Amino acid sequence: MSQPSAEAASARVAAALRGEILEGAIAPGTWIRQEEVAERLGASRLPVREALRMLTAEGLITVEPNRGARVPVLDRREVEVLYRMRERLEPLALVESIPHLTDADLAHVRGLQARIEDIDDIRDFLALDREFHLATYSACDIDHLQDMVVRLWNATQHYRRAFMQVAGAQRRWVVNAEHNLLIDALERRDGVDAERYLVGHIRRTRRELVGHPELFTD
Amino acid sequence: MSQPSAEAASARVAAALRGEILEGAIAPGTWIRQEEVAERLGASRLPVREALRMLTAEGLITVEPNRGARVPVLDRREVEVLYRMRERLEPLALVESIPHLTDADLAHVRGLQARIEDIDDIRDFLALDREFHLATYSACDIDHLQDMVVRLWNATQHYRRAFMQVAGAQRRWVVNAEHNLLIDALERRDGVDAERYLVGHIRRTRRELVGHPELFTD
DNA sequence: ATCGCAGAACATGGATCCAATTTCAAGGGA
DNA sequence: TCCCTTGAAATTGGATCCATGTTCTGCGAT
């Protein structure tokens, strides 16, 4: 009877909140009330508190003592530096991943890209784009590295969504082209080329994103 | 009456455990029992649980559901990649910090280096070396970046201590020389040189550290 | 003697109640 | 009218008790 059985309440709450935050249902800056979350998700306040701590470890929220938790509001400069961190860390994750990527992994990545090219809805695009990139790092067996990459994606998710809403369809074409170049390099197991395409991909996105002042309050 | 007054219990417990882990009093691999910590630090189990979640967010421990928490044991490869992550992230933190470093900050950094050169005890050296490097990043105003750098120092602290115990005094001379080169570049506000010295410093340490197989179990 | 299995001891996860802090609104004074 | 103060409501933090899951021990069967 030691089946995984019912997931722990705190993990359930964390998963639910994680989804809401990543999909934008919880706007940055708004306080997340423990009581409200507890009764909405059918749990007591205690697992909610644990879940909030988990989400802080994932870079999704910040907790202020005796105040509460909320999705942080970032200014343009913070988002820019977060992207610069991505430009440095993700190539490392990719290089560590490439030697361990199986053919099945690569087929999965190709499948994701095929779905990305067929999609119109921004919400689906964001989720699949995230899944695509994380899949290319999935064979990296260093937990700390994968965790930090996920943190960077988490922290910038809201601004990526806002960016996609103002960017035109032309951007999607560029993204698709860059993704396919990256996939080709991966299938050749060419770490040097893959790293080059990835850095270019992230850098171009950063420049375009921070070039939209209307996405930020400052 | 709204003085900061007594720090929150969970923060006190977290600070105590943080110190014990960083000083090596809690060996990697040993389970951290909530009840034991609670009665030793004069709190109930609840703030201990919160503290363990905080330390997870800081990269100091890992929590296994229904099992408990412990300081993770890393193999040589993980430590090596953690150092490669430092080589990529810390230069960025330094570059972001340099323009905002005040003369008082630099004087503080110089003072720390002077104390480092006078110290024999390994425990003090580790604490001051950490404080030295973090001080050079202290003017970086991007919280996520500073937090990640601290995580990297936390995760590798145990192996740095073990390394210092097998390394000779000769290593200390090299460290001091590299620190002083770094300080000079900082005082010139020369980001390019500072980054160069820092990368070399971390890279040399990585190579020497992972070159000691006796520090790892595998 | 070794492996398997049951049951007890132990540790973590969760619920409820209470305390402490913060926030917000109303009232009083300059 | 504005600002400061005061107190009550709302919210988070903590303690105790109970439920659930895991680990270890010892008994029994092969």
Side-chain angles (χ1 to χ4, degrees):
Chain A
M1 307 328 186
S2 64
Q3 307 266 35
S5 69
E7 204 176 1
S10 56
R12 271 194 311 108
V13 173
L17 285 177
R18 186 183 303 117
E20 293 179 7
I21 294 171
L22 289 178
E23 295 203 346
I26 300 179
T30 62
W31 293 106
I32 301 175
R33 299 297 171 199
Q34 298 177 0
E35 184 95 38
E36 184 272 331
V37 174
E39 79 175 53
R40 182 155 57 82
L41 298 179
S44 104
R45 267 182 51 221
L46 203 146
V48 173
R49 278 159 70 175
E50 298 257 316
L52 292 177
R53 294 289 183 192
M54 295 184 206
L55 297 181
T56 57
E58 297 173 28
L60 281 168
I61 64 175
T62 59
V63 172
E64 300 175 34
N66 286 318
R67 300 284 302 279
R70 55 177 160 183
V71 180
V73 177
L74 305 181
D75 58 31
R76 182 169 37 178
R77 183 161 164 58
E78 277 178 284
V79 173
E80 178 179 354
V81 173
L82 283 167
Y83 265 83
R84 290 187 186 276
M85 294 165 72
R86 286 190 54 195
E87 284 168 43
R88 295 182 177 231
L89 274 191
E90 292 189 23
L92 182 59
L94 191 64
V95 166
E96 294 294 324
S97 177
I98 286 178
H100 305 105
L101 278 174
T102 67
D103 290 340
D105 291 330
L106 287 175
H108 181 228
V109 170
R110 268 221 179 278
L112 287 170
Q113 175 56 22
R115 290 169 63 193
I116 288 175
E117 293 178 6
D118 267 349
I119 270 180
D120 278 327
D121 184 54
I122 287 180
R123 185 177 308 257
D124 293 338
F125 171 81
L126 285 171
L128 281 175
D129 184 52
R130 173 189 171 110
E131 199 179 342
F132 170 87
H133 283 283
L134 294 183
T136 64
Y137 314 136
S138 62
C140 164
D141 55 351
I142 310 294
D143 291 339
H144 270 289
L145 182 47
Q146 281 211 6
D147 290 348
M148 285 205 185
V149 169
V150 170
R151 279 177 69 107
L152 293 173
W153 277 80
N154 285 346
T156 51
Q157 174 86 355
H158 173 75
Y159 299 90
R160 202 157 31 247
R161 182 186 324 106
F163 173 49
M164 287 308 298
Q165 284 165 349
V166 301
Q170 172 189 348
R171 232 205 83 73
R172 298 279 295 270
W173 305 339
V174 177
V175 166
N176 288 332
E178 289 172 331
H179 279 195
N180 282 307
L181 285 171
L182 177 60
I183 293 176
D184 290 342
L186 292 181
E187 293 187 335
R188 298 195 309 272
R189 298 294 199 285
D190 185 338
V192 175
D193 261 19
E195 181 165 348
R196 205 182 338 253
Y197 291 132
L198 178 59
V199 171
H201 180 55
I202 301 174
R203 180 178 298 145
R204 183 186 332 267
T205 305
R206 161 171 64 79
R207 288 182 177 147
E208 293 193 25
L209 202 161
V210 302
H212 283 272
E214 71 270 26
L215 302 181
F216 309 96
T217 57
D218 55 338
Chain B
M1 308 347 167
S2 65
Q3 305 265 35
S5 69
E7 203 177 0
S10 57
R12 273 193 311 106
V13 173
L17 284 177
R18 185 183 302 117
E20 293 178 8
I21 293 170
L22 289 178
E23 295 203 347
I26 299 179
T30 63
W31 292 106
I32 300 176
R33 298 297 169 200
Q34 299 177 1
E35 183 96 37
E36 184 271 331
V37 174
E39 80 176 53
R40 184 156 57 81
L41 297 180
S44 106
R45 268 183 50 223
L46 202 146
V48 173
R49 279 159 71 175
E50 298 257 316
L52 291 178
R53 294 290 183 192
M54 296 185 206
L55 298 180
T56 307
E58 296 174 27
L60 281 168
I61 64 176
T62 59
V63 172
E64 301 176 34
N66 287 317
R67 299 285 302 279
R70 54 178 160 183
V71 180
V73 177
L74 305 182
D75 59 30
R76 183 169 35 179
R77 185 162 160 58
E78 276 178 283
V79 173
E80 179 179 353
V81 174
L82 283 167
Y83 265 82
R84 290 188 187 276
M85 295 165 72
R86 285 191 53 197
E87 285 167 41
R88 293 178 178 236
L89 274 191
E90 293 189 22
L92 181 59
L94 191 63
V95 165
E96 294 294 325
S97 176
I98 286 178
H100 306 104
L101 278 175
T102 66
D103 291 340
D105 292 331
L106 287 175
H108 181 226
V109 170
R110 269 221 177 277
L112 287 171
Q113 175 56 24
R115 290 168 63 193
I116 288 175
E117 293 178 5
D118 267 350
I119 269 181
D120 278 327
D121 184 56
I122 287 179
R123 182 176 310 257
D124 293 338
F125 171 80
L126 285 171
L128 282 175
D129 184 51
R130 173 188 171 112
E131 198 178 341
F132 170 86
H133 283 283
L134 294 184
T136 64
Y137 312 137
S138 62
C140 165
D141 55 352
I142 310 294
D143 292 340
H144 270 288
L145 182 46
Q146 281 210 8
D147 290 348
M148 286 206 184
V149 169
V150 170
R151 279 177 69 108
L152 293 172
W153 276 80
N154 286 345
T156 50
Q157 173 88 355
H158 174 75
Y159 300 91
R160 201 155 36 244
R161 184 188 322 106
F163 172 49
M164 289 308 298
Q165 284 164 351
V166 302
Q170 173 190 347
R171 232 205 83 74
R172 299 280 294 272
W173 304 339
V174 176
V175 167
N176 288 333
E178 289 172 332
H179 279 195
N180 282 305
L181 284 171
L182 177 59
I183 294 176
D184 290 343
L186 293 181
E187 292 189 334
R188 297 194 311 271
R189 297 294 197 288
D190 184 339
V192 176
D193 262 19
E195 181 164 348
R196 202 179 345 250
Y197 291 132
L198 178 60
V199 171
H201 181 54
I202 301 174
R203 179 179 297 145
R204 185 189 328 271
T205 305
R206 162 170 63 80
R207 288 182 175 147
E208 294 193 23
L209 201 161
V210 301
H212 284 272
E214 72 271 25
L215 301 182
F216 308 96
T217 58
D218 57 339

